[in-house]
């Protein structure tokens, strides 16, 4: 049997830390003279008390390292349990919010999905709005650490390829995962403050700049307004686009820049492909709008840049209702949401490197068909790709497709129309945020959905954020065998 105590010890530390962070929105409400500060004080105390109880109860079983089974268990339970505590102050801060609504919002925050069930965001207490931003900020740095320190050893979806990519290429500069994670945190923090200052410089208030900086760098997409980023059209869209792009690139590369070498960033095939795809899509959509809709060049380019970057990075901000742009952009937005950014970033979805490896494997297979006696090896960044990595990537694509189909069918059975069911399943599994259609599209939200639908989507967000396999493996009997 797997000993759960070392896992619960770590989760206890995380719960206690989450409770401590609740003091920040408590102070925000207190300074604003809002009586909601008491909810954060009580919930923070109870959360820290629970975390301390787990730490004390499991301290005798703590180990310097975890087994692979314990690592899988820790990764999944963290994202299941923390939203329970994160949801508690939301029930008090959002009038009429049920536990289902609060848990959905907390999962959406920590997984950096950005889908919301809250309406009247402008009227929510400052503490609640700050808490939503903090959850996404914590979820963003959390998933970077998971991608760097856990997923490669878990061999999830081809991530084992980056075991050497993330650590060995650092040389003697940063030889250990903990040091890399610490350095990544400082980069993440610097980007957040830089984004905050940039937002202030283009006219945002300090509070809006703070919350939106956290949700931009985490590529989360929670906004302080029902109109999402539509309140800040103009220069803020350019600022947001720049920082969403920066957050979509591997953070390890920024650590390498701080260590004195920028070459790995510019040579990274993920980075080149991602930026090339974004640039190409922006040009195509901007030209489409100018030619088909007769839009002026500047707003067409700006809105295309912002909304394409937002969707492909999984941020989920919306500055306009792009459902009104026509069928071509709508179909395009659906599929680019499944692309994602680079591994080791705050982005979600399938991610660019998997498409690159899959295309390389397909190309090798086609060449083999043409020349049966030839030997063609799939390559990535000029190096042969190990067979287990190819198998993992292909398995990920298949399981992602099956999961998307199953979720769409379940949501259809729960009463959603086809567009809402399919796009809702896709946006939850890919952690993008807005779906398509009049209900959950860029001009809507998830508030009107029934409770069973919200629980299905909450599960989908967790499965997608943890790269699918990390969750599904827990439901196999082999995993639980000694």
């Amino acid at each position: 049997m797997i000993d759960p105590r070392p896992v619960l010890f770590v989760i206890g530390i995380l719960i206690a830390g989450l409770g401590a962070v609740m003091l920040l929105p408590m102070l925000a409400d207190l300074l604003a003279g809002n009586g909601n500060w008491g909810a954060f004080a009580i919930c923070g105390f109870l959360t820290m008390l629970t975390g301390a109880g787990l730490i004390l109860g499991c301290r005798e079983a703590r180990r310097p390292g975890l087994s692979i089974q314990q690592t899988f268990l820790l990764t999944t339970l963290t994202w299941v349990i923390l939203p329970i505590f994160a949801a508690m102050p939301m029930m008090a801060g959002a009038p009429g919010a049920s536990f289902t609504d609060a848990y959905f919002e907390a999962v959406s925050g920590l997984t950096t999905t950005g889908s919301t069930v809250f309406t009247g965001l402008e009227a929510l207490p400052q503490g609640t709005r700050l808490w939503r931003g903090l959850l996404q900020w914590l979820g963003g740095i959390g998933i970077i650490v998971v991608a760097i320190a856990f997923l490669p050893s878990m061999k999830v979806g081809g991530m084992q390829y980056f075991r050497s990519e993330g650590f060995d290429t650092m040389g003697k500069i940063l030889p250990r995962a903990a040091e890399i994670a610490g350095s990544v945190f400082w980069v993440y923090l610097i980007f957040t403050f830089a984004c905050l200052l940039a937002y202030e410089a283009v006219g945002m208030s300090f509070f809006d700049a703070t919350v939106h900086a956290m949700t931009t760098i985490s590529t989360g997409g929670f906004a302080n307004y029902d109109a999402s980023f539509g309140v800040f059209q103009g220069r803020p869209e350019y600022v947001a686009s720049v920082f969403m792009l920066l957050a979509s690139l591997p953070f390890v590369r920024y650590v390498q820049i701080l260590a004195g070498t920028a070459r790995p960033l510019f040579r990274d095939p993920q980075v080149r492909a991602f930026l090339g795809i974004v640039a190409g899509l922006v040009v195509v959509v901007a030209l489409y709008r100018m030619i088909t809709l007769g839009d002026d060049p500047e707003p067409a380019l700006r809105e295309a840049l912002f909304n394409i970057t937002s969707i492909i990075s999984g941020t989920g901000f919306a500055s306009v209702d792009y459902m009104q742009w026509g069928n071509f952009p709508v179909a395009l937005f659906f599929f680019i949401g499944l692309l994602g950014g680079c591994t080791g970033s705050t982005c979600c979805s399938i991610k660019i490197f998997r498409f690159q490896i899959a295309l390389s494997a397909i190309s090798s297979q086609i060449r083999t068909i043409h020349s049966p006696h030839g030997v063609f090896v799939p390559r990535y960044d000029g190096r042969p790709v190990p067979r287990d990595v190819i198998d993992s990537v292909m398995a990920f694509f298949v399981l992602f497709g099956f999961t998307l189909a199953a979720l769409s069918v379940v949501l259809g059975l729960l009463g959603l129309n086809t567009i809402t069911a399919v796009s809702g399943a896709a946006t939850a599994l890919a952690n993008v945020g807005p779906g398509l259609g009049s209900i959950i599209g860029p001009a809507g939200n998830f508030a009107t959905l029934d409770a069973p639908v919200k629980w299905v989507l909450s599960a989908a967000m967790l499965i997608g954020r943890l790269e699918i396999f990390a969750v599904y493996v827990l439901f196999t009997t082999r995993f639980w065998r000694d």
Side-chain angles (χ1 to χ4, degrees), residues 98-119:
S98 64
F99 177 72
T100 296
D101 290 336
Y103 188 81
F104 179 99
E105 198 80 2
V107 169
S108 183
L110 286 170
T111 60
T112 70
T113 302
S115 303
T116 183
V117 293
F118 290 168
T119 57

Side-chain angles (χ1 to χ4, degrees), residues 1-3 67-70 473-482:
M1 277 293 293
I2 301 171
D3 185 359
S67 69
I68 189 65
Q69 289 94 339
Q70 290 170 331
V473 72
L474 301 183
F475 295 94
T476 62
T477 55
R478 184 179 295 274
F479 174 83
W480 298 100
R481 293 175 184 170
D482 188 15

